Amino acid sequence: QVQSVESGGGSVESGGSLRLSCAASDHSSGTYCLGWFRQAPGKAREGVASITNDGRIVYAPSLKGRITISLDNCSNTLYLQMNDLKPEDTGKYYCAADSLYPIPPCAPRPQGRLWNDWGQGTQVTVSS
């Protein structure tokens, strides 16, 4: 199974910005759904944002307004721009593809979906 490769994480101060990248698996045909997730130490993995290759985007309500997800269809590269970072954004960020899409619809939620192609993640650390 091909894994995604995440990059772009780092250590920033509160209020800073980061742009994460994910070299996703080749989905050169049909429609597909990609998502960003994150996991803080001792906490469950949570969805951040999702996007389809035809441009349908869903953000986690708690993060909407501070993040932007985008996809370069030519290079199969997924991006996550994060602004006004807060210490609670600290965690490891992962990208994945939903193998069950289009049913159910693309969304950054684990329920009823089969997220695959997980990478090793990229660490984001935000200091106050």
Side-chain angles (χ1 to χ4, degrees), residues 6-126:
E6 301 92 344
S7 61
S11 296
V12 297
E13 292 185 349
S14 186
S17 298
L18 284 173
R19 189 191 194 205
L20 307 184
S21 300
C22 168
S25 301
D26 183 14
H27 296 273
S28 55
S29 62
T31 59
Y32 54 92
C33 166
L34 299 176
W36 281 103
F37 295 80
R38 67 183 184 183
Q39 188 165 21
K43 294 188 177 180
R45 187 175 290 174
E46 64 173 332
V48 173
S50 63
I51 188 170
T52 64
N53 60 320
D54 58 357
R56 301 179 188 188
I57 292 173
V58 177
Y59 292 112
S62 62
L63 294 165
K64 197 172 183 179
R66 296 196 294 121
I67 60 172
T68 302
I69 189 172
S70 59
L71 174 63
D72 183 331
N73 287 315
C74 294
S75 63
N76 288 321
T77 303
L78 182 67
Y79 298 98
L80 183 69
Q81 176 69 42
M82 301 191 295
N83 300 321
D84 190 24
L85 283 161
K86 306 177 187 300
E88 52 264 40
D89 295 319
T90 294
K92 189 163 261 192
Y93 285 68
Y94 303 85
C95 64
D98 181 6
S99 300
L100 295 184
Y101 181 77
I103 298 173
C106 188
R109 293 190 287 269
Q111 294 86 356
R113 294 162 175 85
L114 185 60
W115 293 98
N116 287 321
D117 303 341
W118 296 97
Q120 296 300 309
T122 186
Q123 179 68 36
V124 171
T125 303
V126 185

